Amino acid sequence: MIQTKIWSREETLDREQMRAIQLERLQKTVARVYENVPHYRKKFKDNGVEPGDIKTLEDLQKLPFTVKADFRDNYPFGLFSSPKKDLVRFHASSGTTGKPTVVGYTRKDMETWRELIARIVTMAGVTDEDVAQISFGFGLFTGAFGLQHGLEHVGAGVIPMSSGNTKKQIMIMQDFGTTALISTPSYALHMAEIAREMGIDPKNDLNLKWGLFGGEGSTEAMRKALNDEWGIFSTENYGMSELMGPGVAGECTALRGMHISEDHFIPEIINPDTGEVLGPGETGELVITTITKEALPIVRYRTKDITSLHYEKCDCGRTTVRMSKIQGRSDDMLILGGVNVFPSQIEEVLINTEGIGPHYQIKVFKKGHLDKIEIDVELVDANYLDSFKMLEELNRKVKANLRTVLGIDSIVNLVEPRSLQRFEGKAKRVIDMREEK
Ligand code: DLL
């Protein structure tokens, strides 16, 4: 195992010390949201709990869950615990409807974020000797900016490359001597292909040592392909906008799961159908409570991500709990090249486009290493089929709407009215042909 530095003392606390910190911070967080956020106050009252009831860590289970729809219902800033004036950054990710899920950070939240990213990049091998190329999209997405602050904090040289423009990525990688690649795993595989097309052998002609991947699921086979192709040691990390962005958890070089920064996040695993809390090692939905955030503390957030928690000490010396690879989601959210999309959002775009009906089918597949989405949607009026021009125009419009509203590029096929399959029970509108994550 490659030995890496441990960034902060909190990663090695014994269980009793950690639990004491967690309880104190949990109590503060619960009081904070109760005081500042009407949504939480009402929900706690409806459930007959108040901050004073949280006397032990187990009392967390008395509190109600928070779900993604709570963000939609309180759009844009209703869940914030800090006045708008104290916010220094906003980010957003896909919501369950056309409106995004908005998140905000105070100055202190930005410091916390930087610290937590410093932990995960350090455990993945990155030091101040490294040149890190961030190939996540810079913008409302938390991935790129989040990694940037933490990488700079450890002293790495950051190239804020953003995603896309792949040939230029490779050129910069070669010319700047990039040693760490930060991206989604699927994009990293695609970049290797393009490098080869350019006559560059990613393993021998470039200087990469580390790959830090996240934002979407990946398999061990994919890790092997990435390591072999680029000649790197790759780790993955996990995060979510609502919780902070990247930095919630990351793999160390022992590769025994992703260490959760438990002095900032309390994880639980529940049965997604009953809400019952499950034990260590059991597989279920990850629920997280943030315990240090100021602007947007979240109590018992249902992530919908399926995983398990492991408390045995890791070979790396850290004592923080590890979560296993995400095994899937308990909802229907699709992740297309790191962009999160709900089928319901696609439906909304389709329905709001004049000339096409509510019957559609979505196919998701891989082309090379990239996620592609193809949508068959019925025309309401068969007469369109007689005019190539009208058909083209409509097709262009649907694609443009999907791009503007959801940020996805899609293949759209306009098909005859009543030609798609009808369902008597639950409609199966999404066919995901990508390999099992
Ligand atoms: O994807 C944050 C992030 C950026 C994490 C960069 C790591 C690196 P969202 O856009 O809000 O935030 O998407 C969160 O992405 O609930 C998971 O379903 C999925 N996801 C993130 N990391 C992983 C991972 C960022 N390592 C959603 N494995 C989460 C599997 C992941 N799924």
Side-chain angles (χ1 to χ4, degrees):
M1 175 193 153
I2 307 169
Q3 281 300 340
T4 60
K5 203 177 123 186
I6 294 181
W7 182 260
S8 91
R9 196 183 67 83
E10 283 75 13
E11 297 172 79
T12 57
L13 296 178
D14 66 41
R15 193 52 35 206
E16 279 320 300
Q17 290 170 313
M18 181 59 88
R19 284 176 62 86
I21 292 179
Q22 286 183 321
L23 179 60
E24 189 209 324
R25 293 181 173 179
L26 173 65
Q27 287 169 330
K28 275 198 191 139
T29 296
V30 172
R32 182 179 179 90
V33 297
Y34 191 82
E35 254 164 55
N36 298 317
V37 188
H39 166 85
Y40 279 111
R41 194 157 49 240
K42 175 167 186 316
K43 222 162 155 192
F44 287 5
K45 281 188 177 153
D46 291 349
N47 282 267
V49 283
E50 49 181 56
D53 296 333
I54 307 301
K55 298 197 174 70
T56 68
L57 276 182
E58 284 62 39
D59 290 334
L60 175 60
Q61 295 183 23
K62 294 181 180 163
L63 297 170
F65 294 119
T66 304
V67 293
K68 190 147 184 131
D70 294 327
F71 278 83
R72 179 189 63 210
D73 298 342
N74 292 282
Y75 178 84
F77 304 139
L79 291 182
F80 286 16
S81 265
S82 299
K84 202 168 163 193
K85 163 183 155 296
D86 291 349
L87 304 178
V88 296
R89 174 71 67 77
F90 298 95
H91 281 283
S93 75
S94 305
T96 43
T97 61
K99 293 285 188 193
T101 297
V102 180
V103 300
Y105 306 76
T106 62
R107 227 176 267 285
K108 175 161 169 273
D109 291 332
M110 293 303 293
E111 276 167 28
T112 307
W113 199 8
R114 190 179 73 173
E115 152 78 17
L116 297 191
I117 297 287
R119 289 184 190 178
I120 64 159
V121 303
T122 302
M123 73 175 84
V126 174
T127 67
D128 58 2
E129 304 280 332
D130 284 292
V131 174
Q133 184 156 333
I134 301 181
S135 305
F136 283 125
F138 277 83
L140 283 175
F141 179 52
T142 53
F145 278 105
L147 263 308
Q148 180 211 324
H149 305 305
L151 284 161
E152 285 173 4
H153 195 44
V154 306
V158 169
I159 310 174
M161 192 68 211
S162 213
S163 55
N165 214 344
T166 309
K167 285 192 175 145
K168 190 163 169 196
Q169 301 258 5
I170 309 294
M171 182 188 84
I172 298 277
M173 218 176 250
Q174 196 167 33
D175 296 350
F176 289 23
T178 302
T179 57
L181 174 61
I182 324 287
S183 69
T184 59
S186 55
Y187 189 47
L189 275 176
H190 178 64
M191 277 195 260
E193 258 174 4
I194 300 292
R196 287 205 177 277
E197 273 174 35
M198 292 164 71
I200 292 170
D201 173 356
K203 188 171 180 170
N204 296 313
D205 299 341
L206 299 170
N207 220 0
L208 281 191
K209 261 170 82 181
W210 312 109
L212 278 68
F213 304 117
E216 65 180 10
S218 62
T219 55
E220 283 305 319
M222 200 151 165
R223 186 201 310 264
K224 185 169 183 316
L226 283 163
N227 287 350
D228 292 349
E229 202 42 20
W230 287 103
I232 52 175
F233 186 90
S234 60
T235 51
E236 79 166 298
N237 57 82
Y238 171 84
M240 191 174 201
S241 318
E242 294 91 311
L243 302 174
M244 188 169 70
V248 175
E251 258 179 337
C252 65
T253 45
L255 304 180
R256 292 183 59 196
M258 295 178 272
H259 288 275
I260 301 178
S261 275
E262 281 181 274
D263 48 331
H264 296 265
F265 304 99
I266 303 182
E268 300 170 271
I269 295 290
I270 62 163
N271 173 326
D273 299 321
T274 63
E276 177 208 354
V277 175
L278 304 178
E282 290 189 272
T283 299
E285 180 181 332
L286 178 68
V287 169
I288 290 214
T289 301
T290 71
I291 50 173
T292 50
K293 277 172 73 188
E294 285 188 342
L296 189 54
I298 299 286
V299 174
R300 302 194 85 199
Y301 193 62
R302 290 194 58 165
T303 65
K304 304 283 177 182
D305 291 316
I306 305 292
T307 180
S308 54
L309 297 175
H310 305 271
Y311 287 88
E312 311 79 52
K313 194 174 170 187
C314 182
D315 300 339
C316 71
R318 289 177 186 80
T319 52
T320 43
V321 66
R322 287 161 287 119
M323 58 185 268
S324 67
K325 235 180 209 316
I326 301 291
Q327 293 167 29
R329 289 189 52 93
S330 64
D331 67 3
D332 57 355
M333 187 176 90
L334 297 166
I335 304 183
L336 306 169
V339 179
N340 306 345
V341 182
F342 288 92
S344 56
Q345 295 177 295
I346 296 179
E347 179 172 306
E348 196 168 279
V349 171
L350 296 176
I351 285 174
N352 288 326
T353 310
E354 212 180 317
I356 54 176
H359 297 285
Y360 62 92
Q361 182 143 63
I362 298 169
K363 276 179 260 171
V364 185
F365 57 95
K366 287 254 182 218
K367 185 158 181 220
H369 300 296
L370 296 183
D371 295 325
K372 292 280 168 196
I373 180 162
E374 181 167 354
I375 304 167
D376 291 346
V377 56
E378 282 183 11
L379 293 160
V380 276
D381 183 352
N383 286 332
Y384 266 105
L385 293 166
D386 299 332
S387 162
F388 182 72
K389 196 163 162 244
M390 273 162 73
L391 211 54
E392 275 289 282
E393 176 64 14
L394 189 56
N395 194 307
R396 199 195 49 72
K397 203 152 118 197
V398 179
K399 274 203 229 165
N401 288 350
L402 287 165
R403 167 119 257 311
T404 327
V405 181
L406 304 177
I408 54 170
D409 285 317
S410 46
I411 303 161
V412 173
N413 305 312
L414 300 173
V415 301
E416 265 186 71
R418 297 209 59 80
S419 63
L420 292 177
Q421 191 183 352
R422 297 294 192 262
F423 300 90
E424 290 177 347
K426 276 180 196 261
K428 183 156 172 45
R429 299 208 186 277
V430 182
I431 306 173
D432 198 335
M433 296 180 285
R434 296 174 294 185
E435 41 177 41
E436 279 305 311
K437 279 184 185 166

